[in-house]
């Protein structure tokens, strides 16, 4: 049996190692599109801070680790999946046949369509190559402007602030981390980072990035036949870079508010999107990501997906979602690999889980933090102490929560939301006093355990 894995990130590597453990005689091939040893993108901020070197970002540190396991690492970029022929077509025209295929191609930065964003001095913070470029420019005192203050953006922001730069963050939403925090929590995080010396503009967009002294850009040439084919598969090359500005001249960044800011470096952190363009017309169903069932199998038997590119069922919201966080990617990879070798295993579900350290302020977001129509909701805030708690209910279940400063309750929040614990009378008690989460969890868990014992 030959297993091919597209993607050499955490999902791909965990799947490969699981396959090897479960099926020692099978062939396992991992195809990655970067010239690096398999690494974790979540370690890049630690590289920027200086806590680790590049080797510290690597997923495995033992020399010859993959060769010793009999896992073949291959560099290449998927251009097409030939479902009927059971083969992956790579960008160089070569083919890799498979008996089982795992799509773990991850995601890529979603760059906003802003004039000047493709020019020099603008970087995403997604690859080791990006990190090298950022470290070369993000010196103490450098004027750095970051687009985006979402979950990933806040992690990058902390790394940049640690480097001693003059940092400005521009976020389109009306608050920081708008996709994981409600209005009160998002405002509290903004006020906190501003007190730490970071300038934050919310409800604002970057409309243009100009480079004084740069020559006018020539019109883009019509792509040739190969270029059109590449574009059709979502593999088109990046737009030609804008002409470089005069040496040492800062960029001028125009905001929708009318302000113009000067920057030596611009970081684009406006979100990510699944790498699924190469699956167009393949017959593999894709919505926001590659649609999977409870076994992580796609609509095509023998083809699976896991990680940032996979769309799996979320038991809290009752719908399929792409949850681009590493713990979910790891569990999806494990479940997919087990099913690939015939060990039927179900994914228990995907829950939105985010715990964030923003310059020392710890915040957490679980499940349907913004609630549901007709659901009950309670908030308690102590801004002087830097604490905020927001709970969302659907009938007698806690379905989501936001928290700032309640680090001792993080495990309990996750347990209540993921476990879909029926609270009974405790729901009304929590609506009156939301800080009784620990007591509610212990009481309800004990009650459910006793019921299970009686049924047994």
């Amino acid at each position: 049996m030959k297993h091919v894995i597209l993607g050499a990130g955490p999902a791909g590597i965990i799947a490969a190692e699981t396959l090897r453990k479960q099926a020692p005689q099978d062939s396992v091939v991992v195809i990655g599109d970067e010239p690096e040893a398999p690494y974790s993108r979540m370690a890049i901020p630690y590289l920027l801070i200086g806590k680790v070197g590049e080797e510290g970002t690597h997923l495995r540190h033992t020399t010859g680790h993959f060769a010793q396991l009999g896992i073949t690492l291959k560099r290449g970029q998927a251009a097409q999946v030939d479902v009927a022929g059971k083969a992956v077509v790579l960008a160089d025209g070569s083919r890799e046949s498979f008996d089982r295929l795992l799509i773990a191609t991850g995601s890529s930065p979603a760059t906003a369509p802003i004039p000047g964003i493709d020019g020099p001095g603008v970087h995403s913070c997604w690859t080791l190559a990006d990190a090298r470029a950022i470290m070369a420019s993000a010196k103490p005192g450098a004027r750095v402007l970051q687009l985006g203050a979402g979950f990933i953006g806040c992690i990058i922001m902390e790394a940049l602030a640690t480097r001693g730069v003059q940092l400005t963050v521009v976020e389109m939403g009306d608050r920081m981390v708008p996709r994981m925090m409600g209005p009160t929590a998002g405002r509290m995080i903004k006020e906190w980072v501003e007190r730490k010396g970071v300038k934050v503009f919310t409800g604002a967009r970057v409309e243009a990035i100009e480079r004084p002294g740069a020559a006018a850009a020539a019109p883009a040439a019509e792509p040739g036949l190969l270029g059109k084919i590449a574009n059709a598969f979502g593999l088109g090359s990046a737009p030609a870079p804008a002409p470089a500005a005069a040496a040492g001249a800062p960029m001028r960044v125009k905001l929708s508010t009318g302000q113009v800011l000067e920057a030596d470096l611009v970081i684009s952190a406006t979100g990510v999107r699944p790498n699924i363009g190469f699956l167009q017309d393949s017959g593999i169903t894709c919505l926001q990501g590659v649609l999977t069932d409870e076994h992580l199998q796609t609509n095509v038997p023998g083809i699976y997906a896991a990680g940032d590119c996979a769309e799996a069922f979320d038991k809290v919201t009752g719908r399929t979602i792409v949850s681009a966080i590493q713990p979910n990617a790891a569990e999806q990879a494990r479940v997919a690999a087990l099913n690939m070798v015939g060990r039927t295993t179900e994914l228990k579900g995907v829950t939105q889980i985010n715990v964030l350290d923003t310059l020392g302020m710890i915040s957490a977001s679980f499940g349907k933090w913004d609630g549901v129509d007709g659901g009950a909701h309670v908030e308690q805030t102590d801004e002087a102490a830097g604490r905020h708690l927001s709970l969302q209910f659907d009938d007698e279940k806690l379905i989501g929560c936001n928290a700032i400063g309640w680090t001792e309750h993080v495990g309990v929040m996750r347990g209540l939301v993921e476990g879909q614990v029926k609270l009974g009378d405790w729901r009304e008690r929590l609506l009156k006093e939301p800080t009784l989460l620990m007591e509610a969890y212990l009481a309800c868990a004990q009650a459910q355990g006793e019921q299970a014992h009686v049924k047994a």
Side-chain angles (χ1 to χ4, degrees), residues 434-449:
T435 64
L436 295 177
L437 284 167
M438 181 67 74
E439 292 84 349
Y441 181 78
L442 293 174
C444 294
Q446 181 180 2
Q448 291 186 18

Side-chain angles (χ1 to χ4, degrees), residues 136-412:
S137 299
K139 304 296 185 182
R143 293 162 294 185
V144 180
L145 186 140
Q146 177 178 301
L147 284 69
F151 179 74
I152 293 174
C154 282
I155 295 173
I156 297 169
M157 178 191 70
E158 180 160 29
L160 292 170
T162 303
R163 295 183 67 85
V165 302
Q166 299 178 45
L167 182 59
T168 300
V169 176
V170 179
E171 164 59 46
M172 289 179 59
D174 62 355
R175 59 190 184 276
M176 294 187 69
V177 279
R179 294 186 178 181
M180 70 173 266
M181 288 292 171
T184 301
R187 175 183 55 78
M188 288 177 67
I189 295 173
K190 176 183 176 181
E191 292 173 353
W192 172 265
V193 300
E194 287 179 326
R195 290 196 294 270
K196 296 289 184 177
V198 179
K199 294 181 180 178
V200 181
F201 293 88
T202 52
R205 300 186 311 277
V206 171
E207 295 193 330
I209 301 172
E210 299 177 345
R211 295 165 179 81
E222 176 71 16
L225 177 59
L226 291 177
K228 291 179 179 178
I229 294 174
N231 288 336
F233 290 112
L235 298 170
S237 59
M251 290 172 279
R252 288 165 47 86
V253 182
K254 293 185 174 181
L255 304 186
S256 58
T257 59
Q259 293 160 292
V260 179
L261 308 176
E262 291 191 340
D264 303 304
L265 172 67
V266 174
I267 305 295
S268 177
T270 52
V272 297
R273 56 175 168 241
N275 292 325
I276 57 174
F278 69 98
L279 296 175
Q280 185 176 351
D281 300 325
S282 67
I284 299 171
T285 300
C286 296
L287 300 178
Q288 183 182 358
V290 184
L291 190 63
T292 63
D293 63 14
E294 67 273 22
H295 306 295
L296 276 307
Q297 187 168 228
T298 69
N299 64 302
V300 179
I303 298 181
Y304 298 76
D308 290 11
C309 68
E311 186 167 343
F313 183 73
D314 173 20
K315 61 184 179 181
V316 174
T317 62
R319 58 187 177 85
T320 56
I321 63 170
V322 175
S323 182
I325 59 175
Q326 193 159 310
N328 279 333
E331 178 61 9
Q332 290 173 13
R334 186 189 71 84
V335 171
L338 290 172
N339 285 295
M340 289 169 75
V341 297
R343 291 193 56 187
T344 302
T345 308
E346 289 189 8
L347 185 70
K348 298 302 181 184
V350 177
T351 301
Q352 295 286 52
I353 306 165
N354 291 297
V355 179
L356 184 63
D357 183 346
T358 310
L359 300 179
M361 174 174 272
I362 309 298
S363 59
S365 177
F366 295 101
K368 196 79 173 85
W369 59 267
D370 51 350
V372 294
D373 290 340
H377 168 232
V378 62
E379 282 194 10
Q380 182 169 303
T381 306
D382 183 349
E383 298 206 24
R387 291 164 77 87
H388 168 73
L389 188 60
S390 171
L391 306 180
Q392 301 283 352
F393 300 88
D394 187 7
D395 292 329
E396 59 180 325
K397 295 178 182 178
L398 180 69
I399 59 167
C401 51
N402 272 174
I404 291 178
W406 289 92
T407 54
E408 68 272 29
H409 281 57
V410 167
V412 170

Side-chain angles (χ1 to χ4, degrees), residues 7-244:
I13 296 307
I14 289 171
E17 293 173 344
T18 304
L19 288 168
R20 173 53 65 239
K21 181 178 180 180
Q22 299 296 327
Q25 304 306 316
D26 287 2
S27 173
V28 180
V29 179
V30 178
I31 302 175
D33 63 358
E34 291 188 54
E36 321 283 358
Y39 67 94
S40 170
R41 301 196 194 284
M42 294 306 296
I44 288 178
Y46 297 100
L47 175 62
L48 295 179
I49 292 171
K51 288 186 176 180
V52 300
E54 285 198 15
E55 69 284 353
T57 68
H58 294 171
L59 290 168
R60 303 294 180 260
H61 302 285
T62 304
T63 302
H65 172 79
F66 298 104
Q68 291 172 15
L69 290 177
I71 295 171
T72 301
L73 295 182
K74 181 175 181 178
R75 187 181 177 192
Q77 186 175 52
Q80 183 183 8
V81 173
D82 179 358
V83 170
K86 301 193 76 171
V88 176
V89 181
L90 302 179
D92 63 5
S94 64
R95 295 170 65 89
E96 190 75 37
S97 63
F98 62 82
D99 295 305
R100 298 286 184 271
L101 175 68
L102 176 65
I103 302 167
T105 45
S107 54
S108 295
T111 304
I114 299 169
I117 200 167
D118 296 311
V122 180
H123 300 280
S124 297
C125 188
W126 198 243
T127 66
L128 284 177
D130 292 333
R132 295 180 195 120
I134 291 169
M135 289 189 291
S137 299
K139 304 296 185 182
R143 293 162 294 185
V144 180
L145 186 140
Q146 177 178 301
L147 284 69
F151 179 74
I152 293 174
C154 282
I155 295 173
I156 297 169
M157 178 191 70
E158 180 160 29
L160 292 170
T162 303
R163 295 183 67 85
V165 302
Q166 299 178 45
L167 182 59
T168 300
V169 176
V170 179
E171 164 59 46
M172 289 179 59
D174 62 355
R175 59 190 184 276
M176 294 187 69
V177 279
R179 294 186 178 181
M180 70 173 266
M181 288 292 171
T184 301
R187 175 183 55 78
M188 288 177 67
I189 295 173
K190 176 183 176 181
E191 292 173 353
W192 172 265
V193 300
E194 287 179 326
R195 290 196 294 270
K196 296 289 184 177
V198 179
K199 294 181 180 178
V200 181
F201 293 88
T202 52
R205 300 186 311 277
V206 171
E207 295 193 330
I209 301 172
E210 299 177 345
R211 295 165 179 81
E222 176 71 16
L225 177 59
L226 291 177
K228 291 179 179 178
I229 294 174
N231 288 336
F233 290 112
L235 298 170
S237 59

